[in-house]
Each structure stands twice: as C-alpha cells, then as structure tokens.
Amino acid sequence: MNDPQPAILAPRTAREWWRGATIYQIYPRSFADSNGDGIGDLPGITAKLDHIAGLGVDAIWISPFFTSPMKDFGYDVADYRDVDPIFGTLADFDALVALAHELGLRVIIDQVYSHTSDQHPWFAESRQDRTNAKADWYVWADAKPEGSPPSNWASVFGGPAWAWDARRGQYYLHNFLTEQPDLNVHNPDVQEALLDTARFWLDRGVDGFRLDALNFTMHDPALRDNPPAPNDGSVRTRPFDFQLHLYNQSHEDIGGFIERLRALLDSYGDRFTVAEIGGADPDPEMKAFTRGSKRLNSAYSFDFLYAPKLTPALIQASLGRWPDQDGIGWPSWAFSNHDAPRAISRWANDGNPQRYARMAMLLLVSLRGNIFLYQGDELGLTQVDVAFEDLQDPEAIANWPLTLSRDGARTPMPWAGGGNASAGFSDSRPWLPLGPDHAALAVDRQQGRADSMLELTRRVIALRNASDTLLLGTMRVVETGEALLVLERAHRSEILLCAFNLGDAPLDWHPPQPDRWREWIMVNEARIGHLPPFSGLIAQRLG
C-alpha cells in the first residue's frame, strides 16, 4: 500500500468554513455508551471527540437525540427542545458543544420538520377536535363518501399514508410510520413554531442543520391522487414504489419556508444548512432548494447511498449535475450513512473490502463539494448481517427480507479490539450486535499503524484541507471507461489529475505528457502508468 508523497500545496484561499468541508456523521445510539445501558449517548460522544478531531474533519453532524418514543429511533420527535433521557440532558449537549468548539469542530444537528411523533403535545392537542388552537397544525382530511382514505398516497414504510382518528372523525397524513403524523407546514403558525425551534438550538451554539426529509414538508392541498409509476423492472417491496410522488410531497411553497429559515440562520453569522433529498429524481429539488443566496447552502441525495455498484458512468452522471456555474448550488456527497448499507459491502465484490475502502476514501476526498464520512468509514467497517430476531428497524421488520435493513449500518462503533464483547462500545450488551470482523478493525487496533485505514483517512483529509484545488477547484471528468475514472481538479494555475481503477483487473493509464506530472498520493500500489485493481492516485502537473 502506498503512503502519501510530499506535495507542494497552494496557499489557502478565503472561503466559508463549510465550503469543501469534511463532515463526520455520528449516529448517537451506536457511537459510545458512557453509562453501561448498551445505548450510545451524548457524554459518550463528548468522550470521543478527540478521535474525531484527530481525523482533521471540520464538523460533526449528530443524528437525532431529541425526546422520542423511538418508534423510528429519534426521527419521531416528541419534544424538539429537549434531549431524550437515554442520550442524556441539555447540560450534556451544552458540554458537548463547548468541547467540540474548543477542539475546532463545528456542530450540526438534525432538524425534522416534516413530521413529529404522535406523542408530541402539538399532535395530542390537534387530534382532540376540529376547533382547537392546533387543529390545523397537522394534515387532516375527511374520508371519501364510502369511508376510504382521502387519496391514494402511500407511506414510505408500507401501506397507506393515511390513518383514521376517531376523535376527530378524520384521517391524518403520515408519509412514514403511522406514529409519525405529518405537520402542516403550509400553516404560518407551524412555520413560526419550527423557526422558534431552530432559534432554540442556534442560541445553544449549534453551527448548522441537516434537514431531514425536507421535500416531505409540504403536500398538495387539493390531495390529488398520485399517478402510477412506470414499471422499470426493479423490485417493488412497498406500495410506495408503485407511484410517482407528485402530490404527497415536494410542493413549490417549500421554497418560501426555506428562505425564512435561511434568513434566520444568516442572522447568527456563519451557519450551515444541508438538506436530505430523496426520491427517484431528486435533482430538480436539490437545485431549487439551493438556488441563489437566500436558500440552503447545500443538499445531498441518494445517488451513491443506494447504488449497488460504483461505476465511472454513475460518478460522471452524478458529478455532471453540479457544474461550476452561476446559479448552481454547492453539492454534498456521501457514500454511507445511517439509512443505507455500508458502501464497501455494496461495492467490494472481490472479497477484499479493505482494499476497496482505501480507494473509495481517496475518491471521496477528490470530489468537488462537501463530503460526509459516516462513523466507522475511517475504519473500513463493513455492513453487518443482522439476524431477523435482532432487528430493530421498523421498515426492515415490516418488509423482511426484501428491504435491506438499516440496522446493519447502525451497529456499534468498535473502539477496543480485545477483552470486551462490545469492542469498547459499552460495558453491557449493546442494542445491536457488532459485526464479526469489527473488533479486528477497532480504533485501538489501527491507531498509529501507518498502513491502517484509520491513518490513511487522516492523511488524505489533511491533504484535502491543505489544498485549495481539492477544496474549491473546478472539476471535470476527463476520461472514463468500464473501470477507469479520471477527474481533473483545477484552481488558479494548479491542475490535479485524480485517476481511479474501480474494477478488479489492472489497468495501464498514462496522463498526457507523463513526465510533467508528479504523484501526490497513491493507494493500493497505484502509480502513473499502472493502476492495480481498486486503486487510485492524485497527480500534480508540474510547471
């Protein structure tokens, strides 16, 4: 395996802190358990912040830790302004933010504005009758004359997106679980309440928000039926897969709410917003939500998160949608997260996931935009095959075995390789089992080992942080093949070539005028002229 080569780096160009940032996602249930109950918590995160800061990342993103009955593990919020007791207290959160800032880490948290838990006081009041002060805070509708739901909309998690409530004698909308009623964000009072929630966390020192399922925040008020989706031959595991989602989500008025939110964040200074945008064709919404200076800073989709194979064609298509042009927003990229199977288990089909992980990490830091690392990516963690009896994910349980369980990517972070059944995550049985190979990949097993995935991650992030060209430069795809991908990054007078072999057979590759290029960094024995299977390099043009 190659070590990075010395490089001549350009001086740092002034930029917003988030532009080109590396952001580390923490799934709090599975990061570190401080009190021995088998579930990760905020003090556990605080105790491990030095590990994250040591990676060289710019910020952490913490998945939901708010008060919740945990039907969807925190994405069903029962109190937007408090910490669930299993994760700690508001004082614990404040301590986490203080130490993160001391270590030079920004703190980004989730905001879930599409829906709440059915245990939220807002919903408890709204469902009492049709005349209470919050009667219109959720999406309520009368039954059709024969008693069926108001429209044919389907839930992401299976079945209809409508649930009957006898107290009001109406249906309420839930695009996700029945226990996650959708807020009526068309309502100005709801918008004010959500903005007040954002203000609460901004006042506590958070540096930005990741906005969950943002395109589900507004629906078609006319409740028109969704049309059927053309059959593209893919496996359909849920009624949701049979529809084109024209009316249950993505209403054009979302843009106005985004502008109100952006104005609030701008009043606090250098804050950051990134939206999660799912769906079969997320690009138009990503562009709309990040257009100009009054909307979000960035957005990401599931281009790579659900891709069963990483190909040059996929990368070229995804990157091509975000050219360096006026009016086009700033992209964000993630290969793994808490909702998707770990990338190297999806993509490494040669039986050597660690080799693939090294190449994929170099590719990720080569991209123009913000990049997200999911906890454990720096260790090369693989997806865990969680047995049905151990599943916690409601979607996976409902659609087993056709839906890939999200639990396999949510298993505990391994900190210590020996002497502890939970690999240093907890002193008791963890809420999900560890992967059988994860103890061998633990932080203490890789720490200080020059050839480890952990140390490679630190080196390539340091390289990116020191390079204007990787942080801010233009990007274009200059060459592709069945397995070959060559990207050009350019900034001012500097030009870099980032060459990768995504296949399992060696490739010969020569840049134009080979003697004018210096190798910056190489992984998996790559060199100018020869790219072994699953390898890559970055080269700098001389003169």
Side-chain angles (χ1 to χ4, degrees):
M1 295 181 180
N2 312 99
D3 286 334
Q5 304 300 301
I8 299 172
L9 302 175
R12 179 63 63 87
T13 299
R15 65 182 180 106
E16 303 99 326
W17 72 263
W18 53 265
R19 194 175 295 274
T22 301
I23 301 169
Y24 185 94
Q25 183 194 354
I26 298 171
Y27 191 70
R29 291 184 71 90
S30 298
F31 195 65
D33 172 21
S34 71
N35 61 3
D37 64 358
I39 297 173
D41 46 47
L42 297 182
I45 295 171
T46 303
K48 301 295 186 182
L49 284 176
D50 57 344
H51 166 76
I52 303 171
L55 296 174
V57 303
D58 298 279
I60 56 174
W61 152 33
I62 310 174
S63 293
F65 50 83
F66 315 111
T67 305
S68 169
M70 299 294 163
K71 297 295 185 181
D72 193 23
F73 297 105
Y75 284 94
D76 50 323
V77 180
D79 187 343
Y80 281 114
R81 305 186 194 186
D82 206 353
V83 174
D84 194 277
I86 67 169
F87 295 129
T89 65
L90 278 172
D92 292 328
F93 179 77
D94 293 340
L96 188 162
V97 172
L99 182 57
H101 287 168
E102 185 178 321
L103 294 171
L105 294 169
R106 311 276 182 154
V107 179
I108 298 164
I109 65 172
D110 261 298
Q111 294 286 270
V112 187
Y113 295 156
S114 164
H115 52 268
T116 70
S117 165
D118 61 356
Q119 302 303 305
H120 198 293
W122 295 349
F123 188 69
E125 183 175 351
S126 185
R127 76 190 315 181
Q128 288 177 2
D129 54 53
R130 302 189 189 190
T131 60
N132 67 80
K134 292 184 173 57
D136 193 36
W137 278 42
Y138 291 80
V139 183
W140 295 96
D142 292 332
K144 289 182 177 179
E146 79 286 1
S148 62
S151 72
N152 70 347
W153 300 348
S155 163
V156 172
F157 287 164
W162 296 96
W164 176 255
D165 188 274
R167 276 156 285 201
R168 286 186 48 141
Q170 286 183 304
Y171 284 94
Y172 67 85
L173 178 67
H174 61 92
N175 275 302
F176 296 93
L177 293 175
T178 306
E179 296 88 353
Q180 292 172 296
D182 272 59
L183 284 163
N184 179 17
V185 186
H186 288 286
N187 186 329
D189 292 336
V190 174
Q191 292 189 21
E192 286 296 334
L194 295 176
L195 293 173
D196 282 344
T197 292
R199 200 174 284 113
F200 175 86
W201 293 107
L202 291 166
D203 287 342
R204 300 195 91 88
V206 304
D207 300 287
F209 299 132
R210 179 262 191 188
L211 300 165
D212 180 70
L214 184 62
N215 49 341
F216 282 92
T217 52
M218 294 190 196
H219 63 291
D220 170 32
L223 308 183
R224 286 173 285 184
D225 281 350
N226 282 329
N231 188 348
D232 61 3
S234 60
V235 176
R236 295 174 169 180
T237 62
R238 311 159 296 176
F240 187 83
D241 302 329
F242 288 80
Q243 296 182 1
L244 294 176
H245 302 286
L246 302 186
Y247 300 119
N248 64 308
Q249 63 185 76
S250 308
H251 193 274
E252 61 184 8
D253 288 351
I254 294 174
F257 174 62
I258 288 173
E259 291 178 5
R260 297 190 68 196
L261 179 64
R262 173 65 186 270
L264 172 64
L265 271 83
D266 283 351
S267 72
Y268 282 80
D270 56 349
R271 300 302 190 261
F272 171 64
T273 49
V274 59
E276 173 202 43
I277 309 296
D281 185 21
D283 191 62
E285 287 174 291
M286 293 172 69
K287 298 286 176 48
F289 291 174
T290 60
R291 183 178 61 240
S293 61
K294 294 184 178 181
R295 297 196 172 183
L296 305 180
N297 299 121
S298 191
Y300 76 90
S301 72
F302 292 79
D303 282 10
F304 298 126
L305 289 171
Y306 287 158
K309 186 176 181 180
L310 187 65
T311 65
L314 171 64
I315 297 168
Q316 182 174 27
S318 299
L319 303 185
R321 288 192 282 269
W322 292 91
D324 183 17
Q325 296 176 1
D326 290 342
I328 301 293
W330 184 257
S332 288
W333 307 105
F335 288 171
S336 295
N337 76 4
H338 65 291
D339 279 334
R342 288 195 177 269
I344 61 172
S345 292
R346 283 181 278 126
W347 297 340
N349 56 9
D350 71 333
N352 192 341
Q354 294 310 305
R355 186 177 178 88
Y356 203 105
R358 297 172 71 83
M359 182 272 295
M361 185 63 71
L362 184 62
L363 173 59
L364 184 62
V365 303
S366 301
L367 300 182
R368 174 184 174 271
N370 303 323
I371 59 172
F372 286 83
L373 301 186
Y374 179 50
Q375 63 185 49
D377 284 352
E378 75 273 26
L379 305 177
L381 292 192
T382 54
Q383 179 81 357
V384 179
D385 186 10
V386 179
F388 180 78
E389 57 269 22
D390 292 325
L391 286 178
Q392 305 290 325
D393 176 12
E395 182 183 13
I397 293 170
N399 297 302
W400 189 87
L402 292 179
T403 294
L404 286 171
S405 167
R406 297 178 296 178
D407 289 337
R410 297 176 175 182
T411 56
M413 180 83 169
W415 295 100
N420 185 309
S422 66
F425 165 75
S426 176
D427 293 330
S428 61
R429 181 178 178 179
W431 74 290
L432 281 174
L434 276 80
D437 60 334
H438 285 193
L441 299 172
V443 172
D444 72 340
R445 295 293 181 93
Q446 299 196 40
Q447 185 84 25
R449 258 183 42 211
D451 64 343
S452 70
M453 180 67 191
L454 175 58
E455 297 301 333
L456 174 74
T457 301
R458 289 172 173 158
R459 292 194 297 265
V460 298
I461 291 174
L463 187 73
R464 179 179 170 93
N465 288 344
S467 169
D468 288 346
T469 305
L470 292 178
L471 289 172
L472 300 171
T474 60
M475 180 174 62
R476 68 184 183 97
V477 178
V478 297
E479 190 174 355
T480 61
E482 186 175 341
L484 177 66
L485 172 72
V486 184
L487 308 174
E488 179 191 271
R489 300 298 311 274
H491 182 70
R492 295 180 177 169
S493 61
E494 183 172 69
I495 297 178
L496 304 177
L497 284 181
C498 311
F500 301 91
N501 180 359
L502 305 185
D504 56 7
L507 292 173
D508 291 329
W509 170 77
H510 296 274
Q513 299 177 296
D515 58 343
R516 294 190 62 193
W517 297 90
R518 169 174 42 207
E519 294 163 337
W520 251 21
I521 181 170
M522 304 87 74
V523 298
N524 297 338
E525 298 84 44
R527 66 180 189 273
I528 290 176
H530 184 68
L531 299 174
F534 308 118
S535 68
L537 62 84
I538 301 176
Q540 179 191 39
R541 191 178 69 179
L542 302 173

